[in-house]
Amino acid sequence: NISKIVWSAVFVLGALALFFTFSRGAWLAAAVSFFIYCWKRHRKILLFLIIFFAVFFCLSLIFSDHNYFIKSTFSLKGIKEGIIAESRINYIPLMRRMIKGHELFGIGLDHYRILFNAYSTERIESVFRIPDNMYFTILLETGIASFLSYIAFAAMALRRGFAFMNKTKNNEQKNMMLVFIAGLTGFMIQMFTYDAFYWFAPVAFFGLYAGLCSGLSYKSSIVFHKDQ
């Protein structure tokens, strides 16, 4: 079965990416995506995953004092640093000073890097002059108007996806839409931990999933009204 081969390949490649990057934000996003999918389709698998991650987390806490990598990655402090990160919180006052007077439309694309030295005494390389949180970046560089537009667009895509799932009676279509919804939700969670839209692959991923959620729902609504 081709679909099973493709699904298995995606799962293996995704697992390898998670393992080699060890991005805690990516792990959190993957966990939420799996939860959404399994809650609707495979609750027995969900129970197994919860037990597995609980045991894994407990073992990490037990051995965190004996291994620096485990301590810096999976301890409570390591998880907090990886997902919340004090650097993101510490730069909030800096971003408030930057956006003052430009609240509606922001300071301009990539201007956080350009203006960083003018508002901060800290001297760091240009590549590290980032909020490291895509929501902060959108709000700061494009303003409140674009930030609210993005949130509205993403919420609309998810709402249409759920509407499509409730409307269609085809199980394969329901399953497909659930995958898109879970993936889009996971992506939006991971946006809290890095500047996703500065990279081509995440932009393509977001556009594809959001477009499929909205497009399939729109097509379904046309067919539904014609049948009426």
Side-chain angles (χ1 to χ4, degrees):
N1 189 303
I2 296 179
S3 61
K4 289 184 178 180
I5 295 174
V6 172
W7 186 92
S8 299
V10 170
F11 182 83
V12 170
L13 292 173
L16 288 173
L18 285 172
F19 178 79
F20 284 113
T21 60
F22 264 100
S23 167
R24 283 144 294 190
W27 278 95
L28 177 63
V32 172
S33 296
F34 271 114
F35 180 86
I36 292 173
Y37 180 79
C38 292
W39 179 259
K40 284 284 188 180
R41 304 289 295 184
H42 304 287
R43 295 196 180 182
K44 290 183 179 179
I45 297 177
L46 178 61
L47 179 61
F48 169 77
L49 288 174
I50 291 174
I51 295 174
F52 173 80
F53 281 112
V55 172
F56 181 79
F57 183 69
C58 290
L59 290 174
S60 298
L61 293 178
I62 293 172
F63 292 103
S64 62
D65 290 335
H66 305 285
N67 185 287
Y68 176 78
F69 175 76
I70 295 176
K71 183 176 182 178
S72 62
T73 305
F74 291 109
S75 66
L76 290 175
K77 183 179 179 181
I79 292 172
K80 178 185 174 183
E81 283 296 313
I83 297 174
I84 299 176
E86 290 184 8
S87 61
R88 298 184 181 104
I89 305 300
N90 292 339
Y91 283 145
I92 289 179
L94 170 66
M95 290 185 279
R96 289 177 61 185
R97 294 196 299 272
M98 277 189 183
I99 201 173
K100 188 176 181 179
H102 307 280
E103 291 86 355
L104 190 59
F105 298 110
I107 62 175
L109 181 64
D110 207 28
H111 273 55
Y112 182 85
R113 299 178 194 271
I114 297 172
L115 298 176
F116 185 90
N117 287 338
Y119 288 88
S120 175
T121 56
E122 185 179 1
R123 293 294 176 260
I124 57 176
E125 294 182 36
S126 176
V127 69
F128 296 115
R129 296 177 200 163
I130 54 174
D132 209 23
N133 180 311
M134 198 62 227
Y135 294 102
F136 285 166
T137 303
I138 294 173
L139 181 61
L140 181 66
E141 297 190 348
T142 63
I144 295 173
S146 294
F147 177 80
L148 294 178
S149 297
Y150 167 74
I151 297 298
F153 173 76
M156 179 192 67
L158 291 172
R159 184 182 65 82
R160 286 186 173 181
F162 280 113
F164 175 85
M165 282 183 58
N166 293 330
K167 186 181 297 183
T168 184
K169 296 180 180 180
N170 187 305
N171 285 329
E172 289 187 2
Q173 291 181 350
K174 281 187 177 183
N175 188 63
M176 177 178 64
M177 182 56 74
L178 183 59
V179 170
F180 296 151
I181 291 172
L184 182 58
T185 304
F187 177 84
M188 294 183 67
I189 289 173
Q190 195 180 6
M191 284 176 60
F192 282 102
T193 62
Y194 81 122
D195 294 83
F197 289 160
Y198 278 103
W199 305 90
F200 174 76
V203 171
F205 178 90
F206 174 79
L208 178 64
Y209 271 34
L212 287 169
C213 286
S214 297
L216 289 174
S217 176
Y218 179 72
K219 182 179 179 181
S220 173
S221 65
I222 293 176
V223 173
F224 178 76
H225 288 303
K226 281 183 178 180
D227 290 341
Q228 296 287 56

